[in-house]
Amino acid sequence: MIPRETLRKIRRIQIRTSHKVDELLAGNWHSAFKGRGIEFEEVRPYQIGDDVRAIDWNVTARSGEPFIKLFREERELSVQLLVDLSGSQNLGTTSQTKRELVAELGAMLAMSAIKNNDKVGLTLFTDGIEKAIPARKGSRHVLRLIRELLYCDPIGTGTDVKQALEHVNRVSKRRTVVFLISDFQDSQYESALKVARRRHDIIPVVIADPREHKMPNVGLVRLQDEETGEVITLDTASRKNRHRYAELYRQQTEARDNLFRRLQLTPIHLETGCDIVEPLRKYFHQRESRS
C-alpha cells in the first residue's frame, strides 16, 4: 500500500504539471509529432507522378510491372520516457535536484501524451536497466509513472546510455517517440544512438545544474563523484582550478553536442531551478514548423 505522504506528493506534482500541460503543451503535442509514424498498408501498380522512392522492388521483380508501397499515418503515437537515474541525478544546488526536475518533466510529457490519446511507457536506467514499464494509456497509468520517477530506488549508480538504447531497440518493435532524459555523463554510446535514431524518433533532453559548469570561490572543498564514489579535495580559491573545471565541462558538452549535430538530433537543454515549460514549448513549435 502506498503511504499517504507519497500519494500527496504524487498528487501535488500531478496537479502542478497538469496545469502547465493544459495551458502550454497539449495543443502543440500532436501537431509536433503527427505523421512521424507510418504503417505499411498495401501495394498497388505504379502511376505516373508517384514517388519512385516508394517502389516495392521485390513485388516489381516478381510481377514484371512496377508497384509502389502505400502507407498510412499512425494516429496513435507510442511514447517512451528513457530516464537516467544514475547517482549524478542527485545533485541539486538550486531549489531542486536534477532528479526532481526529471520527475516534473516526465510527468508533463506523460500527461501530454495521455491527453492526446497516445500510449506512454517508462524505462529507468543507471549502468543497468532498473525498471521497464510498457506503454499504456490512462490517468492511473500516469500516476504509476510519476510514482516510479519520484521513488524508484536504483541499484546502480553509474550511467550506461548505450545499454538503455539497446534495450529500447530490442523491446520497441514499432516506431516510437523516445525522450532520452539524462545528463549524458557517459561515452561510447554513439553506435547505439545511430541505430536507435534509424528506428525511432529520438529526442535527447539534457539535464544540468548551474554548479556543473561554474565552480564558486568557496575555498577548500571535498567533492565526491556520486557515480564512482571517488573523493577529491579541490581548492576553489585557485583561479586556475576554477578555469580548468569550467574548461573540462565545456569540452564534455561540446563533444556531446557535436555528436547530436552529426546525427541530426535536436536536444532540449534544461537546468535545475529554471522554468522548463518555455524550452519545451519552443522545441514543440520548432518541430511543428519543420513538419
Side-chain angles (χ1 to χ4, degrees):
M1 187 173 179
I2 304 175
R4 286 187 177 180
E5 180 55 36
T6 300
L7 283 174
R8 280 196 291 268
K9 190 168 184 178
I10 293 171
R11 289 294 184 188
R12 280 198 300 270
I13 194 170
Q14 182 194 24
I15 293 169
R16 187 168 66 247
T17 54
S18 180
H19 174 70
K20 294 178 181 179
V21 169
D22 289 338
E23 183 179 347
L24 298 169
L25 297 179
N28 302 112
W29 177 270
H30 194 67
S31 56
F33 294 109
K34 69 178 180 180
R36 293 288 169 176
I38 55 175
E39 287 186 340
F40 171 75
E41 190 165 38
E42 62 178 344
V43 295
R44 67 158 171 78
Y46 176 84
Q47 299 174 3
I48 296 176
D50 286 336
D51 188 344
V52 295
R53 292 174 297 181
I55 291 177
D56 187 322
W57 295 107
N58 290 329
V59 176
T60 297
R62 289 197 302 268
S63 65
E65 299 285 342
F67 277 77
I68 68 165
K69 297 177 182 178
L70 295 180
F71 298 88
R72 61 181 172 84
E73 180 184 329
E74 291 182 61
R75 298 189 179 278
E76 178 186 281
L77 293 175
S78 180
V79 178
Q80 184 70 214
L81 306 180
L82 189 56
V83 178
D84 174 6
L85 287 190
S86 60
S88 59
Q89 298 298 323
N90 296 321
L91 176 65
T93 61
T94 61
S95 58
Q96 63 183 171
T97 64
K98 289 196 286 187
R99 179 159 181 182
E100 289 169 339
L101 170 60
V102 166
E104 184 175 350
L105 170 65
M108 289 181 67
L109 294 174
M111 284 190 284
S112 293
I114 294 301
K115 284 178 178 291
N116 284 276
N117 201 36
D118 296 325
K119 294 180 179 180
V120 59
L122 174 67
T123 299
L124 304 173
F125 71 93
T126 54
D127 44 15
I129 302 301
E130 299 288 342
K131 183 159 290 190
I133 302 174
R136 293 193 178 92
K137 299 180 182 180
S139 57
R140 289 176 63 87
H141 179 64
V142 169
L143 290 177
R144 181 189 177 191
L145 300 189
I146 296 173
R147 184 183 71 214
E148 295 297 344
L149 284 165
L150 285 169
Y151 295 107
C152 176
D153 187 14
I155 298 172
T157 57
T159 308
D160 194 334
V161 175
K162 177 183 176 182
Q163 185 178 172
L165 290 167
E166 289 174 343
H167 172 80
V168 168
N169 288 336
R170 282 196 307 271
V171 302
S172 299
K173 303 304 181 184
R174 58 177 287 191
R175 186 169 177 82
T176 301
V177 177
V178 180
F179 287 90
L180 175 54
I181 306 170
S182 175
D183 53 17
F184 293 93
Q185 295 186 16
D186 191 20
S187 59
Q188 309 300 320
Y189 57 86
E190 180 172 354
S191 59
L193 188 56
K194 284 182 179 177
V195 174
R197 184 194 176 283
R198 288 196 296 267
R199 297 181 180 180
H200 305 294
D201 187 353
I202 305 293
I203 304 167
V205 184
V206 181
I207 305 298
D209 184 89
R211 286 292 176 261
E212 290 179 310
H213 54 82
K214 185 177 181 181
M215 174 65 71
N217 182 356
V218 290
L220 285 175
V221 295
R222 296 185 70 199
L223 303 175
Q224 181 176 25
D225 188 319
E226 288 281 357
E227 298 197 7
T228 66
E230 180 183 1
V231 178
I232 64 169
T233 300
L234 181 68
D235 181 9
T236 63
S238 166
R239 183 178 299 177
K240 181 180 177 181
N241 284 345
R242 295 200 305 274
H243 176 75
R244 185 181 176 190
Y245 181 92
E247 179 62 18
L248 179 60
Y249 180 83
R250 187 194 66 78
Q251 292 174 1
Q252 292 173 337
T253 56
E254 189 175 87
R256 179 200 66 214
D257 291 342
N258 284 339
L259 170 59
F260 292 156
R261 277 193 290 271
R262 286 199 303 274
L263 298 182
Q264 297 182 312
L265 296 172
T266 303
I268 303 170
H269 292 271
L270 300 177
E271 197 167 78
T272 57
C274 296
D275 175 50
I276 68 174
V277 172
E278 190 56 34
L280 286 172
R281 181 167 57 181
K282 181 179 178 181
Y283 178 82
F284 279 23
H285 284 167
Q286 288 175 341
R287 280 187 65 111
E288 186 178 358
S289 299
R290 288 199 303 267
S291 63

